[in-house]
Amino acid sequence: MLSASIRPGDLACSSRLFKLSARKEPGGTLVLLVCETKIWTVCPAGLVRGSPLTALMQWSGRSNVLFAILHRIPQLWTNPAAAVLIYVWALSEVVRYPWYATSLLKCCPSWLTWLRYTLFIPLYPVGMLAEMVLMVKALPFLKSQKLNSVSLPNVFNFGFDYHMFIQGLLFVYPFLWLFLYQTLLHQRKKKVQSGKRD
């Protein structure tokens, strides 16, 4: 099974990211993107269970914050929200991957299933708030340096103002987050209350 071979590598990715972020090294962003890309690309192929839409939403949200904001604006790594964000993501992965491994081996303890589908309840809102704080803190840099923006005129006759995009994204972010949170709550209800392990 391909999905079984993905898990140990992903756990190693989380471990390496945690060490890099503890030293405030932006190189950790590449580690996380590789891990997250694996998850979202194998989801549509049916190699792991989950919705491709929610996987894509989570991947694009994380990638936006990591690459378009934190990677481009290294000053934000000193903001407490960056540390909170990385620790929240790492903590969720530390539970998720042992759950995947034990589920594949059909020996998942019920307490690990409970933890897998309960830990997100406090972590998800904290992570979302940290992402939003970082986006707000990035706005002055995005405006003054025109980061990730495409100015007119150009050969493609296409303009894109990333600063305005982030302002719009901040407006809809709570609604997108609520959709994902409700999806996770629904999954929790099915897994924890019914006692399913898969």
Side-chain angles (χ1 to χ4, degrees), residues 160-172:
F160 177 73
D161 187 340
Y162 187 68
H163 176 261
M164 287 185 64
F165 170 77
I166 291 297
Q167 287 179 319
L169 184 60
L170 282 166
F171 179 75
V172 299

Side-chain angles (χ1 to χ4, degrees), residues 29-83:
T29 57
L30 180 59
V31 175
L32 184 60
L33 181 73
V34 169
C35 296
E36 288 300 309
T37 302
K38 280 192 212 175
I39 293 303
W40 129 213
T41 55
V42 297
C43 221
L47 298 174
V48 296
R49 291 186 180 157
S51 163
L53 175 62
T54 58
L56 177 61
M57 288 174 70
Q58 289 180 351
W59 175 81
S60 59
R62 283 186 179 190
S63 298
N64 177 58
V65 171
L66 285 169
F67 282 100
I69 293 177
L70 283 172
H71 187 70
R72 297 294 309 270
I73 310 169
Q75 299 92 320
L76 291 180
W77 280 105
T78 60
N79 189 297

Side-chain angles (χ1 to χ4, degrees), residues 187-198:
Q187 287 176 349
R188 181 184 190 277
K189 185 177 180 182
K190 287 194 326 190
K191 299 285 183 175
V192 174
Q193 292 180 358
S194 68
K196 291 181 182 175
R197 292 184 180 180
D198 292 330

Side-chain angles (χ1 to χ4, degrees), residues 6-164:
I6 289 167
R7 301 300 171 212
D10 288 341
L11 188 56
C13 285
S14 294
S15 172
R16 174 131 170 80
L17 174 66
F18 188 79
K19 289 175 189 170
L20 287 170
S21 64
R23 295 191 313 248
K24 291 186 170 75
E25 292 184 27
T29 57
L30 180 59
V31 175
L32 184 60
L33 181 73
V34 169
C35 296
E36 288 300 309
T37 302
K38 280 192 212 175
I39 293 303
W40 129 213
T41 55
V42 297
C43 221
L47 298 174
V48 296
R49 291 186 180 157
S51 163
L53 175 62
T54 58
L56 177 61
M57 288 174 70
Q58 289 180 351
W59 175 81
S60 59
R62 283 186 179 190
S63 298
N64 177 58
V65 171
L66 285 169
F67 282 100
I69 293 177
L70 283 172
H71 187 70
R72 297 294 309 270
I73 310 169
Q75 299 92 320
L76 291 180
W77 280 105
T78 60
N79 189 297
V84 167
L85 184 67
I86 298 301
Y87 286 112
V88 163
W89 286 348
L91 185 57
S92 67
E93 304 305 311
V94 165
V95 171
R96 184 166 67 148
Y97 293 121
W99 181 85
Y100 279 134
T102 55
S103 293
L104 284 171
L105 297 172
K106 306 254 188 259
C107 63
C108 184
S110 59
W111 63 266
L112 187 56
T113 298
W114 181 87
L115 198 56
R116 158 78 170 98
Y117 287 99
T118 303
L119 195 58
F120 80 89
I121 294 172
L123 293 181
Y124 218 66
V126 171
M128 185 268 300
L129 289 173
E131 289 176 15
M132 290 185 74
V133 165
L134 291 169
M135 285 190 273
V136 168
K137 295 290 184 184
L139 287 173
F141 295 97
L142 298 176
K143 186 172 187 174
S144 66
Q145 299 173 25
K146 302 216 178 288
L147 295 174
N148 308 321
S149 294
V150 178
S151 299
L152 287 170
N154 59 52
V155 71
F156 298 107
N157 198 25
F158 171 79
F160 177 73
D161 187 340
Y162 187 68
H163 176 261
M164 287 185 64

